[in-house]
Amino acid sequence: MVKKTESAIMIDLTQFNKDLATLGIKVTYTMVVYIGDTYRIITSKGEEIGGSREEKEKIIAHLLSKQPFLPITGEEMNHGYLFIETGLAADVMEKLKILLRSISFSMDKYMLEERMQSCSLGILDSAVNAIEAKDVYTKGHSDRVAGLAQLIAERMDLPYSEKEVAQAGLLHDIGKIGISERILTKPGSLTDEEYQIIKSHPEKGAQILEPLVMFKKSAAAVRHHHERYDGKGYPDGLAGEEIPLLARVIAVSDAFDAMTSDRPYRKAFSYDIARQKILSASGTQFDPTVVEAFNSIEEKKISSVIGSRA
Ligand SMILES: [Fe+2]
């Protein structure tokens, strides 16, 4: 999966070439950009120079010693270089500098977004750990749901990035943060009032995530992960394809991990029994296409996510 930053930068480069053409600038160049801790080396013909990190470093060192260049400088850091041919007129150089400024600006923006996202995810991950620490039975549950959701996603053509699938899995129960330990770990049956409190967690979770733009798709999946395919779930009683696809994927992953875990009121089901229960709820509780994708995953891949418990 191409990371958002990388694909966005490739779009910027396409725009850069269009702008050169619009301004009538004919220049042969080699552009080096740093993305995270990797380099991309792209020529004016649109070809990308591959190789190991060391090989790319040698190429960059060679270019730095031989060719004139313009730095691609952002607010805080250098994002790379534009190596150009010798003998360009001063006015062409000025135009190139202006065009590079817009690339620098975009790269600053993407880097900032990535940093904000990983920072927010770090905070939310701590919140998930805090919830799971309240209840020994759910320890590691969110991580496993994220892993299972990714396995299902690999089998389906989903309109979500790998990161979005993992985030939705990791954060699906984040709304439990406000629910007392007493209710979460109560061994006996819940009162109506306690059940209503537990049932509020998808909405609370979505409320936590909605203000964060980068978690928009995760927020929708979190809100709807307890909907049922037949419309009998909560909070909104959505049915079939009204339920966001990512929520339907999380629902199967969540149920399978819950069934193969010990709970205060029962022991874990075996892998085979849990799988049968998922299959028998296809079309009622779960989306049949998601169940089919889940059922096609090899047992050893599932075991690598949920451990040897099942
Ligand atoms: Fe949940």
Side-chain angles (χ1 to χ4, degrees):
M1 180 84 48
V2 177
K3 284 173 71 184
K4 185 180 155 214
T5 311
E6 295 186 31
S7 51
I9 287 166
M10 294 318 279
I11 293 168
D12 279 344
L13 288 183
T14 309
Q15 186 58 44
F16 178 71
N17 285 333
K18 275 188 195 158
D19 292 343
L20 287 178
T22 309
L23 294 170
I25 301 173
K26 287 195 180 70
V27 59
T28 306
Y29 68 80
T30 305
M31 186 181 285
V32 172
V33 282
Y34 307 132
I35 301 172
D37 57 357
T38 58
Y39 305 106
R40 297 192 73 161
I41 306 176
I42 300 139
T43 71
S44 41
K45 287 183 187 152
E47 290 160 351
E48 179 148 10
I49 300 174
S52 67
R53 187 186 170 89
E54 289 73 31
E55 283 162 345
K56 286 183 182 174
E57 280 171 350
K58 271 188 199 156
I59 294 168
I60 297 165
H62 175 78
L63 287 166
L64 280 168
S65 68
K66 295 272 178 209
Q67 261 186 277
F69 63 84
L70 294 170
I72 305 171
T73 309
E75 280 291 317
E76 287 178 44
M77 61 189 286
N78 182 25
H79 297 300
Y81 302 101
L82 183 78
F83 294 96
I84 43 182
E85 60 202 280
T86 47
L88 285 181
D91 66 320
V92 172
M93 291 290 272
E94 278 314 303
K95 285 175 186 166
L96 280 176
K97 278 183 197 167
I98 292 166
L99 293 183
L100 283 181
R101 234 175 270 154
S102 80
I103 291 196
S104 304
F105 178 74
S106 299
M107 288 187 73
D108 275 346
K109 186 169 158 272
Y110 301 133
M111 295 297 168
L112 187 65
E113 276 175 12
E114 292 262 312
R115 228 181 291 160
M116 276 173 58
Q117 189 162 15
S118 73
C119 182
S120 307
L121 192 60
I123 294 166
L124 295 171
D125 194 21
S126 310
V128 170
N129 288 335
I131 299 161
E132 293 185 351
K134 285 189 201 174
D135 180 359
V136 61
Y137 290 99
T138 60
K139 193 166 183 337
H141 169 67
S142 303
D143 264 339
R144 293 191 298 270
V145 170
L148 290 171
Q150 283 180 295
L151 288 181
I152 297 174
E154 280 171 20
R155 300 283 161 138
M156 298 178 76
D157 191 17
L158 296 186
Y160 306 101
S161 70
E162 237 176 281
K163 206 187 229 176
E164 284 163 346
V165 174
Q167 279 170 0
L170 186 68
L171 303 174
H172 74 282
D173 275 344
I174 188 113
K176 286 186 178 170
I177 190 89
I179 299 176
S180 82
E181 200 171 329
R182 187 189 63 77
I183 299 176
L184 285 178
T185 58
K186 188 174 173 184
S189 52
L190 297 169
T191 65
D192 275 353
E193 193 193 344
E194 287 165 344
Y195 188 48
Q196 290 311 318
I197 292 171
I198 292 260
K199 277 175 72 178
S200 68
H201 80 271
E203 281 170 282
K204 282 188 181 145
Q207 281 165 7
I208 292 170
L209 298 177
E210 268 157 9
L212 305 162
V213 185
M214 58 283 225
F215 295 122
K216 202 163 177 274
K217 288 184 185 173
S218 302
V222 168
R223 179 176 179 95
H224 298 294
H225 76 277
H226 283 291
E227 304 284 1
R228 289 173 51 108
Y229 198 69
D230 58 13
K232 294 179 183 164
Y234 59 89
D236 298 315
L238 301 185
E241 298 193 356
E242 289 171 349
I243 307 164
L245 183 50
L246 190 47
R248 287 178 261 153
V249 170
I250 299 297
V252 171
S253 313
D254 186 19
F256 185 79
D257 186 69
M259 283 194 275
T260 54
S261 305
D262 285 333
R263 286 288 146 123
Y265 45 88
R266 60 145 174 83
K267 293 293 281 178
F269 292 115
S270 70
Y271 174 92
D272 282 331
I273 290 182
R275 200 168 60 96
Q276 278 310 320
K277 283 181 177 287
I278 297 278
L279 287 176
S280 64
S282 176
T284 50
Q285 187 174 354
F286 305 120
D287 176 348
T289 57
V290 177
V291 172
E292 200 186 315
F294 170 75
N295 198 36
S296 72
I297 304 167
E298 299 86 350
E299 185 177 340
K300 76 170 191 293
K301 279 198 174 176
I302 292 185
S303 297
S304 73
V305 170
I306 63 170
S308 53
R309 298 165 307 129

